[in-house]
Each structure stands twice: as C-alpha cells, then as structure tokens.
Amino acid sequence: MLKDNPVVKKLVETGEERVGKLAQQLMSNEKFVATVQTLVARSLAAKGTLDGALRSALSAMNLPSSADVEQLRNKVDDLERLLSSVESKLDTLVSARKK
C-alpha cells in the first residue's frame, strides 16, 4: 500500500540519496576510515583475548572448547569414512565368495 504512494517513494529516494552521500563523505574522510580500522583491530584483539580466556576457563573446568569438539567431529568423520571403506571391501569379498 505505502509502496505505491508517490510521496513515500519520493521520501525513500531522497533518504537513500542522502545516506549514499553521507556514506561517500565518511569513506573519503581519512580520519573516519582510520578510526573504523582501529575499532575493528581492537575488536578482533578483544575477541582473541576473550576466546583465549574462555578456552582457559573451559579447560580449568575440564570441559571441551568448540575447537576440541570440532577436532573430535573431524576424527569421527574420518572413522566413518574408514568404516565405510572397510564395509564396502567386506561386501565385495562376501559377494565374490558367493559366486
């Protein structure tokens, strides 16, 4: 309903145009870009610190981390592939003996 209203369409177009101009101005401002880069770098560093602290806490409580679970999942997948291969070879041997 509102999408078809010409006044709403004009408001949306004007808003999009202004936001685009603002984004362009911000991205051309070296100080803004440097600040955003610093914030991203600090956020990543904080995440790394938090991840390390979480791994240490989980380890202290004798609980697995997500990396431990992923490693275990990979080992289970490897075992499933190996078992499937062995099962396939056994099927081939059994069918060969039946003939």
Side-chain angles (χ1 to χ4, degrees):
M1 240 189 325
L2 288 175
K3 291 180 185 179
D4 299 331
N5 188 327
V7 174
V8 172
K9 282 185 179 180
K10 183 66 176 168
L11 284 172
V12 169
E13 288 173 6
T14 303
E16 287 175 349
E17 186 178 313
R18 288 186 180 179
V19 167
K21 285 181 182 177
L22 177 63
Q24 187 177 16
Q25 287 174 346
L26 288 172
M27 295 310 289
S28 64
N29 183 329
E30 289 179 24
K31 187 174 182 178
F32 175 78
V33 172
T35 302
V36 169
Q37 288 174 337
T38 300
L39 286 172
V40 169
R42 287 182 181 173
S43 296
L44 291 174
K47 183 186 181 308
T49 302
L50 178 64
D51 287 346
L54 184 57
R55 277 192 301 275
S56 295
L58 288 172
S59 177
M61 292 184 288
N62 201 24
L63 295 172
S65 69
S66 59
D68 295 334
V69 171
E70 185 62 30
Q71 194 175 32
L72 183 60
R73 184 177 299 140
N74 289 337
K75 286 182 181 181
V76 168
D77 289 344
D78 290 343
L79 285 172
E80 284 180 345
R81 281 191 291 277
L82 180 61
L83 184 59
S84 177
S85 173
V86 168
E87 186 179 32
S88 175
K89 288 176 182 177
L90 281 174
D91 289 343
T92 303
L93 287 172
V94 167
S95 61
R97 285 199 172 183
K98 286 183 179 179
K99 291 180 182 180

